[in-house]
Amino acid sequence: AAGGLTVCLVRRSVDPNELQPLVDEIVANGGKAVPFGGFDATKEDDVKKLVERVENEVGPISCCVYNIGAQVGNRPFLKISARLFELCWRMGSMGAFLVAKEVSKRMIDRGDGGTIIFTGATAGFRGNSGQAGHAMAMAGRRAMAQSMFHELGPKGIHVAHVLIDAMIVSPDTAGKFWDKLFKDDSSRSSISYKDFVAKRTATESIVLPSGIAESYWHLYQQPRSSWTFEMDLRPWTDKAWFHA
């Protein structure tokens, strides 16, 4: 929004109050934002209707960010149900496919290119204990993005996959899963999510959405001669997953 784009915020929930505070914040800072509630990215009809509405009511989509996660908490492999495993795939891979396909078709037809960014996770590179569904879904997203990069790049569409190898300040991610993910971790069981975030934010040792946005904006502005496919983001205090 700070760069002049109109930001279209999308949620599956139909409750407008969940998006309005962020819309108000963006507008208060001089930007433009439009909320779109009630769209499920795992349903093809919903995706088609959403893209149609955005293009007709706001304008041509020049940058699309698929930011839906597939984290359902720690689930032992022998206990995760087929329904939940499939849900991980639908959120992590199927939804990413549906959104990217519908948006890229528009970009190709216009002939003016565009940018599609997938938010990835450490699970897409390393399957951890209790994370079979999450790892499968995110690895599928990354593999699809690789294929898209090679196929759509020559058509003028920049596809990028961004690994967020750390905890993000967000009540919808770590805030919801704090107790479930870390209940057996003695180093974190005695501190609340709120206190943990406050401490990490003060030392810039947790990922802030504003920092992610700056990196995504950089990808959006990259010249065609120097396109990045994969980028890692983590705080300056954290080791990379492959050194942990």
Side-chain angles (χ1 to χ4, degrees):
L5 296 183
T6 298
V7 179
C8 297
L9 304 165
V10 185
R11 289 203 68 151
R12 181 177 56 187
S13 169
V14 296
D15 184 359
N17 295 323
E18 293 186 341
L19 288 172
Q20 198 57 46
L22 183 54
V23 170
D24 293 342
E25 181 182 343
I26 292 172
V27 172
N29 283 282
K32 296 179 181 180
V34 183
F36 289 89
F39 291 94
D40 187 338
T42 68
K43 297 179 180 179
E44 188 172 14
D45 286 345
D46 275 18
V47 172
K48 289 182 177 180
K49 290 176 182 177
L50 170 65
V51 173
E52 184 73 21
R53 278 195 59 187
V54 171
E55 295 250 334
N56 289 339
E57 298 176 16
V58 181
I61 298 171
S62 62
C63 181
C64 175
V65 178
Y66 190 83
N67 195 53
I68 296 173
Q71 175 60 270
V72 295
N74 279 325
R75 304 280 179 164
F77 179 72
L78 295 179
K79 293 184 178 181
I80 187 171
S81 66
R83 182 195 65 81
L84 197 58
F85 191 81
E86 181 180 354
L87 177 62
C88 290
W89 169 74
R90 288 192 174 280
M91 294 189 297
S93 298
M94 184 62 173
F97 161 73
L98 292 174
V99 171
K101 182 178 180 180
E102 195 64 26
V103 170
S104 62
K105 285 193 300 185
R106 306 280 183 137
M107 293 176 173
I108 292 171
D109 288 344
R110 282 194 293 270
D112 56 359
T115 303
I116 299 175
I117 301 174
F118 296 97
T119 300
T122 313
F125 294 75
R126 180 184 66 177
N128 211 339
S129 176
Q131 295 290 306
H134 186 213
M136 169 275 303
M138 301 309 287
R141 178 181 302 185
R142 178 176 181 248
M144 183 190 69
Q146 286 178 324
S147 293
M148 287 178 58
F149 178 81
H150 293 296
E151 187 172 341
L152 301 184
K155 300 180 185 297
I157 299 175
H158 181 190
V159 178
H161 179 265
V162 183
L163 162 64
I164 311 289
D165 185 31
M167 186 178 292
I168 305 169
V169 178
S170 171
D172 273 355
T173 51
K176 286 185 176 179
F177 292 106
W178 178 261
D179 292 333
K180 293 180 181 178
L181 290 175
F182 305 120
K183 65 180 180 180
D184 298 324
D185 188 339
S186 59
S187 67
R188 292 174 175 173
S189 60
S190 61
I191 185 172
S192 68
Y193 169 72
K194 183 178 180 180
D195 291 340
F196 176 83
V197 167
K199 182 179 179 180
R200 288 293 189 98
T201 300
T203 57
E204 296 181 279
S205 53
I206 192 169
V207 177
L208 302 177
S210 58
I212 298 175
E214 288 294 341
S215 295
Y216 285 12
W217 180 251
H218 166 69
L219 291 171
Y220 174 70
Q221 290 187 306
Q222 281 186 328
R224 295 185 181 188
S225 62
S226 305
W227 273 353
T228 294
F229 166 67
E230 201 144 65
M231 174 187 287
D232 290 25
L233 296 181
R234 65 181 61 83
W236 64 287
T237 53
D238 286 11
K239 290 182 178 180
W241 67 268
F242 44 83
H243 289 310

